[in-house]
Amino acid sequence: MRTAFYISDGTAITSEVFGHATLSLFPTEFNHRTIPFVETPEKALEIKRIIDQTAAKSGERPLVFFTFVNHKLSEIISSSDAVCYDFLSVFSERIKHELKLEPVPKVHRTHSMHEKSYDYRIDAVNYALANDDGANVKDYEKADIILVGVSRSGKTPTSLYLALQYGIKAANYPMTEDDLESGSYPRCLLPYKHKLFGLTISPERLSAIREERMANSRYASIRQCRMEVMEVERLFKKNKTPFLNSTSFSVEEISAKIISEAGLERRKY
């Protein structure tokens, strides 16, 4: 299996995002290795040796996606026995000509956070934790969005991702069997129907997730999962609540779709 490296003098998140997006176009598997905070020539030479060893062992040149502010580090990695892709240089050169400005390199700038953005995120994460799984229903006035759905449909990880990545205050509420049998939302949600967004999931996937939590239980049975999914989707449609099937999507994709469909304001920057 061919190896793909994602390397940076920062977190390497940018390298990962660009690299994964590019490689996802090709129907083959890769061995992924992420190496952040390569900030000195000594460290870059160490990573170069790792790349060269990987090439020698596999007989195939690794693919290396990197973002370095320090050009000397770029040169060291580019001299390795690999196929290298330098995202920052490619785009900064074109933008430099368009803006007629010289770039001013600064380490970690791509992921620096303004104080206000940091405060938004921390506040939103605290809110998501305090309002997880219907634990606190008295603070929904402050919510940007309230995720609803059956147990284990992806509400909690999505709430936390929206908070941490975008500073969005997301509460979440689990629709119980009693709620579904009543055919209506619980009283605590009725004043906030305009904030509700539903998550659903395939019964098969839901059953598999629940089996890991409570094996061989009624809660995890395919029959129970089918009933709950059918009833919650019926409830969403009856109340005109927008909803998304989370089965085939990552938490990043779920969050992006929710933001788009609900028209939420991102507080990322």
Side-chain angles (χ1 to χ4, degrees):
M1 186 183 297
R2 200 156 185 174
T3 300
F5 287 90
Y6 310 97
I7 306 171
S8 176
D9 49 10
T11 62
I13 292 174
T14 302
S15 301
E16 279 189 325
V17 169
F18 275 103
H20 285 178
T22 303
L23 295 184
S24 69
L25 300 173
F26 301 93
T28 186
E29 295 294 320
F30 294 91
N31 176 31
H32 302 278
R33 294 193 61 179
T34 300
I35 305 176
F37 302 115
V38 180
E39 299 176 290
T40 65
E42 293 75 20
K43 183 66 174 178
L45 286 169
E46 177 188 338
I47 302 308
K48 176 184 180 300
R49 283 192 291 270
I50 292 173
I51 295 170
D52 290 344
Q53 289 167 2
T54 302
K57 185 176 180 179
S58 67
E60 291 186 305
R61 298 167 72 197
L63 305 179
V64 177
F65 302 91
F66 66 83
T67 54
F68 285 112
V69 170
N70 186 331
H71 188 64
K72 290 182 180 178
L73 303 180
S74 299
E75 289 181 338
I76 293 171
I77 297 300
S78 295
S79 69
S80 63
D81 186 16
V83 182
C84 296
Y85 302 95
D86 179 0
F87 289 117
L88 284 187
S89 293
V90 170
F91 292 110
S92 63
E93 279 298 314
R94 295 178 63 182
I95 294 173
K96 177 179 75 173
H97 292 300
E98 179 63 29
L99 297 180
K100 297 179 176 58
L101 287 173
E102 287 293 326
V104 182
K106 182 179 179 182
V107 176
H108 308 318
R109 175 176 287 171
T110 53
H111 293 287
S112 64
M113 289 191 295
H114 297 299
E115 184 177 343
K116 192 171 183 180
S117 174
Y118 176 83
D119 290 342
Y120 274 139
R121 296 186 192 200
I122 295 302
D123 193 30
V125 168
N126 288 335
Y127 181 87
L129 291 172
N131 292 273
D132 180 44
D133 214 25
N136 176 23
V137 299
K138 298 179 180 179
D139 212 16
Y140 286 169
E141 185 66 37
K142 297 178 182 177
D144 295 311
I145 195 164
I146 303 170
L147 303 182
V148 290
V150 299
S151 173
R152 315 306 291 182
S153 57
K155 302 182 302 299
T156 294
T158 303
S159 297
L160 288 170
Y161 189 86
L162 286 168
L164 184 60
Q165 189 70 9
Y166 299 112
I168 290 171
K169 290 183 177 179
N172 74 80
Y173 187 94
M175 300 302 297
T176 66
E177 192 170 353
D178 289 342
D179 293 328
L180 297 175
E181 287 178 356
S182 73
S184 62
Y185 287 122
R187 292 175 60 183
C188 63
L189 294 180
L190 293 179
Y192 308 104
K193 285 177 69 174
H194 62 292
K195 294 185 177 184
L196 301 184
F197 195 101
L199 286 182
T200 185
I201 189 172
S202 76
E204 294 76 16
R205 177 60 180 151
L206 181 61
S207 177
I209 294 171
R210 289 181 174 184
E211 274 289 332
E212 295 178 5
R213 185 180 177 90
M214 297 178 64
N216 303 315
S217 63
R218 176 175 174 269
Y219 169 76
S221 70
I222 189 64
R223 181 178 180 181
Q224 179 69 16
C225 292
R226 282 174 179 157
M227 182 278 291
E228 290 186 28
V229 169
M230 179 180 68
E231 291 300 326
V232 81
E233 290 184 1
R234 182 179 297 170
L235 182 64
F236 293 156
K237 292 172 184 176
K238 174 184 174 183
N239 289 275
K240 295 183 172 58
T241 302
F243 69 95
L244 172 68
N245 189 313
S246 66
T247 307
S248 316
F249 299 115
S250 65
V251 67
E252 296 90 345
E253 291 170 318
I254 294 168
S255 300
K257 287 176 179 291
I258 289 173
I259 289 171
S260 176
E261 293 187 27
L264 296 176
E265 177 188 354
R266 304 179 187 217
R267 302 190 184 100
K268 184 175 180 180
Y269 304 109

